[in-house]
């Protein structure tokens, strides 16, 4: 059932974003008097087709929901145009107006992102409190002397409210290769600590999936409280029950669920000793042996058969904003995410950001399903992020994309005449090859993510 929900969320998300993008081209072209022949959401065989309006424009929903297009009169070379429609042909417009039509699609996506993020601000998204739960030995976080239990209050003087805020700020700084200052508190907040993370020293290709845990070396705080025990597993056989809180393992204090899980995974078929406190407040100890399993890479890992309990309310942060503040948040977030996307592309070309960050339709579908199941606000946040990616990527100066057309029209404005048709055709062929290579790499990343734990 979940697979159908994921597919449905993916189709809905892509359909909305393509509709927004193509509507931008459509609206500006119509305002300039261009005759629209066809408006299609999707490619391939037609599912639904209707004709409306004075021009009898054909509106189509096609079978493959991975894009769309607006077909304008006179857009294709050698197209037959009647005398009465000649003034309404796309190719008869001056290059400045064609430039604006090409620009309208990406701009529509960026404007939609503003609205989507404003909606997120008005609704509010429950987020995980920015409390450090695990600090890995010899990591950047350990070198900065971060300790489990510290709550991150500010990064470079700017307030953070959730762990997602922390992740985005650190990711942005890592892409820009700038150091950051963390201001943290402990306990009742009276004690303030300052930590420096020298992100400018990161090696090439350091920014990739799971950047915070793998490179920074820290995890959010998740209480080591058992929510459920699998039948006949080592935990049940040892007497562990839902509601038990693990406090120590082999004499080492357990700072949170992540530390517990990593220790258990690293001790397959080895006896470990747990100290825990029951839901009734009784302190107990037990010895058990994690069962050995092989992960997707063939590495042996340990499992004891427990599932984490739902997070308590004091670890969930919900921040809602008013109408004006929400709109400002939408504009600011869209600008920040757009800038970070451009910086990531540049750093990727330079080799400072891993190309593993490129996602294809499989990953997008997975994220669409997860965000839709989480609620309206997370789904809007997902739509805003993908809309920004679609807008920015379409502005890249690659022939066949909107950005490539913008370059052609800009050159035409400077030269006073269009580029030779053979030059445009060759450039578009190169653009198709580059686009196919990018799509193939994105599919490869998606498949590797599915195969890698």
């Amino acid at each position: 059932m979940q697979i159908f929900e994921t597919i449905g969320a993916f189709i809905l998300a892509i359909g909305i974003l393509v509709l927004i993008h193509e509507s931008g081209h459509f609206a500006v072209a119509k305002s300039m008097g261009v005759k629209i022949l066809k408006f299609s959401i999707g490619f391939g065989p037609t599912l639904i087709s209707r004709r409306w309006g004075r021009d009898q424009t054909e509106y189509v929903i096609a079978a493959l929901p991975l894009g769309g297009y607006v077909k304008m009169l006179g857009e294709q070379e050698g197209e037959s145009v009647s005398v009465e429609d000649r003034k309404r042909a796309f190719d008869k417009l001056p290059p400045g107006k064609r430039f604006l039509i090409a620009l309208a699609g990406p701009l529509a996506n960026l404007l939609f992102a503003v609205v989507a993020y404003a909606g997120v601000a008005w609704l509010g998204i429950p987020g995980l409190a920015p409390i450090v739960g695990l600090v890995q030995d010899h990591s950047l976080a350990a070198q900065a002397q971060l300790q489990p239990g510290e709550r991150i209050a500010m990064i470079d003087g700017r307030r953070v409210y959730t762990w997602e805020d922390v992740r985005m700020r650190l990711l942005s700084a890592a892409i820009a290769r700038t150091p950051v200052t963390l201001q943290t508190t402990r306990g009742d907040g009276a004690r303030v600590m300052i930590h420096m993370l020298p992100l400018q020293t990161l090696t090439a290709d350091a920014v990739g999936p799971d950047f915070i845990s793998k490179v920074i070396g820290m995890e959010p705080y998740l209480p080591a409280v058992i929510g459920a025990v699998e039948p006949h597993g080592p935990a049940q056989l040892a007497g562990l029950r839902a509601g038990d809180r693990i406090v120590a393992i082999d004499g080492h204090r357990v700072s949170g669920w992540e530390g517990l899980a990593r220790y258990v995974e690293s001790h397959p078929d080895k006896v470990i000793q747990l100290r825990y406190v029951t839901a009734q407040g009784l302190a107990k100890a037990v010895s058990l042996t994690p069962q050995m399993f092989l992960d997707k890479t063939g590495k042996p890992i340990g499992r004891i058969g427990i599932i984490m309990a739902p997070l308590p309310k004091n670890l969930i942060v919900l921040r809602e904003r008013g109408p004006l503040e929400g709109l400002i948040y939408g504009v600011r977030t869209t600008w920040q995410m757009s800038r970070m996307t451009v910086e990531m592309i540049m750093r990727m070309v330079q080799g400072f950001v891993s190309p593993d960050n490129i996602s294809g339709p499989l990953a997008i579908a997975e994220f669409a399903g997860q965000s839709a199941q989480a609620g309206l606000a997370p789904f809007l946040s997902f739509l805003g992020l993908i809309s920004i990616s679609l807008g920015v990527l379409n502005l890249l100066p690659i022939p066949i994309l909107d950005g490539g057309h913008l370059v052609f029209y800009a050159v035409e404005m400077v030269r006073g005449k269009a580029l030779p048709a053979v030059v445009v055709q060759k450039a578009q062929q190169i653009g198709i090859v580059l686009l196919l290579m990018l799509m193939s790499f994105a599919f490869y990343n998606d498949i590797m993510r599915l195969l890698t734990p």
Side-chain angles (χ1 to χ4, degrees):
M1 192 65 178
Q2 186 175 355
I3 185 65
F4 294 108
E5 293 177 356
T6 298
I7 294 173
F10 172 71
I11 293 175
L12 177 62
I14 294 300
I16 291 172
L17 298 180
V18 170
L19 177 63
I20 295 296
H21 182 92
E22 299 304 333
S23 293
H25 294 309
F26 178 88
V28 174
K30 289 283 281 187
S31 71
M32 294 180 178
V34 177
K35 184 175 182 179
I36 309 297
L37 303 178
K38 192 174 186 178
F39 184 106
S40 178
I41 303 300
F43 299 108
T46 298
L47 300 178
I48 301 174
S49 175
R50 294 290 186 273
R51 290 186 181 272
W52 282 302
R54 178 171 63 90
D55 295 329
Q56 285 295 288
T57 301
E58 184 183 10
Y59 297 88
V60 173
I61 296 179
L64 300 177
L66 296 179
Y69 60 93
V70 174
K71 183 179 180 181
M72 295 172 277
L73 182 69
E75 193 174 12
Q76 296 179 348
E77 186 179 355
E79 183 180 350
S80 176
V81 179
S82 64
V83 175
E84 59 270 21
D85 284 338
R86 189 168 298 164
K87 291 182 179 180
R88 304 184 63 198
F90 175 79
D91 59 350
K92 298 303 179 184
L93 291 176
K97 290 188 175 182
R98 282 180 273 141
F99 186 96
L100 292 176
I101 292 174
L103 182 63
L107 286 185
N109 282 122
L110 297 179
L111 288 174
F112 174 78
V114 171
V115 175
Y117 281 121
V120 168
W122 296 328
L123 293 170
I125 292 184
L128 185 62
I131 301 173
V132 179
L134 174 69
V135 176
Q136 299 179 25
D137 295 335
H138 313 298
S139 64
L140 285 178
Q143 294 170 19
Q145 298 183 341
L146 275 162
Q147 298 294 324
E150 292 186 35
R151 187 185 188 110
I152 301 173
M154 291 188 178
I155 296 181
D156 287 340
R158 295 174 58 195
R159 183 82 179 270
V160 293
Y161 297 91
T162 66
W163 190 263
E164 179 64 14
D165 292 343
V166 173
R167 190 182 73 85
M168 293 307 299
R169 297 275 177 84
L170 294 182
L171 184 61
S172 179
I175 293 171
R177 299 183 66 76
T178 58
V180 297
T181 301
L182 305 184
Q183 180 177 315
T184 65
T185 61
R186 179 180 284 277
D188 60 0
R191 183 184 176 191
V192 177
M193 292 147 285
I194 303 297
H195 306 276
M196 301 290 296
L197 288 176
L199 301 186
Q200 77 279 10
T201 64
L202 292 178
T203 59
D205 201 33
V207 180
D210 301 323
F211 165 75
I212 301 299
S213 61
K214 291 183 178 179
V215 178
I216 302 298
M218 64 180 183
E219 301 276 1
Y221 172 65
L222 302 172
V225 178
I226 299 174
V229 180
E230 296 178 0
H232 312 299
Q236 187 191 57
L237 296 177
L240 291 169
R241 298 290 182 265
D244 292 345
R245 178 169 56 89
I246 312 299
V247 296
I249 183 168
D250 283 344
H252 304 288
R253 177 176 172 269
V254 172
S255 58
W257 187 269
E258 285 291 338
L260 170 65
R262 288 175 185 247
Y263 195 93
V264 170
E265 287 181 355
S266 64
H267 289 74
D269 278 344
K270 296 179 181 178
V271 178
I272 59 175
Q273 293 183 338
L274 299 180
R275 284 196 294 111
Y276 64 98
V277 177
T278 68
Q280 293 74 32
L282 300 176
K284 293 187 176 183
V286 69
S287 296
L288 50 77
T289 303
Q291 288 179 309
M292 186 181 73
F293 293 89
L294 298 180
D295 65 15
K296 294 179 182 179
T297 64
K299 176 184 175 182
I301 57 174
R303 292 278 188 268
I304 61 174
I306 57 176
I307 299 173
M308 188 180 73
L311 293 174
K313 291 183 178 180
N314 65 334
L315 289 182
I316 303 296
V317 179
L318 177 64
R319 187 187 179 199
E320 299 172 333
R321 296 170 172 85
L324 180 58
E325 188 184 7
L327 187 59
I328 294 172
Y329 172 84
V331 172
R332 184 174 65 245
T333 304
T334 298
W335 165 250
Q336 292 172 345
M337 296 300 295
S338 299
R339 185 182 65 184
M340 192 170 74
T341 301
V342 173
E343 289 179 346
M344 180 171 286
I345 293 172
M346 294 175 61
R347 294 297 186 182
M348 199 175 296
V349 172
Q350 296 171 349
F352 290 117
V353 172
S354 171
D356 292 344
N357 289 284
I358 298 175
S359 297
L362 298 181
I364 294 173
E366 181 181 2
F367 297 144
Q370 292 173 352
S371 62
Q373 291 169 10
L376 178 58
F379 188 59
L380 280 177
S381 181
F382 167 79
L383 288 178
L385 176 61
I386 300 301
S387 193
I388 288 172
S389 299
L390 183 61
V392 171
L393 290 176
N394 264 283
L395 287 173
L396 294 178
I398 298 176
I400 207 173
L401 296 180
D402 291 328
H405 293 297
L406 293 176
V407 172
F408 294 151
Y409 301 145
V411 171
E412 184 177 347
M413 284 187 278
V414 173
R415 295 177 76 236
K417 60 180 180 179
L419 289 169
V422 64
V423 174
V424 175
Q425 185 179 14
K426 290 293 184 183
Q428 289 180 337
Q429 290 173 349
I430 295 173
I432 291 173
V433 172
L434 291 174
L435 198 58
L436 288 174
M437 290 173 60
L438 181 62
M439 291 175 61
S440 298
F441 190 76
F443 269 112
Y444 171 79
N445 279 349
D446 283 356
I447 294 171
M448 292 306 297
R449 288 188 188 102
L450 292 175
L451 297 178
T452 303

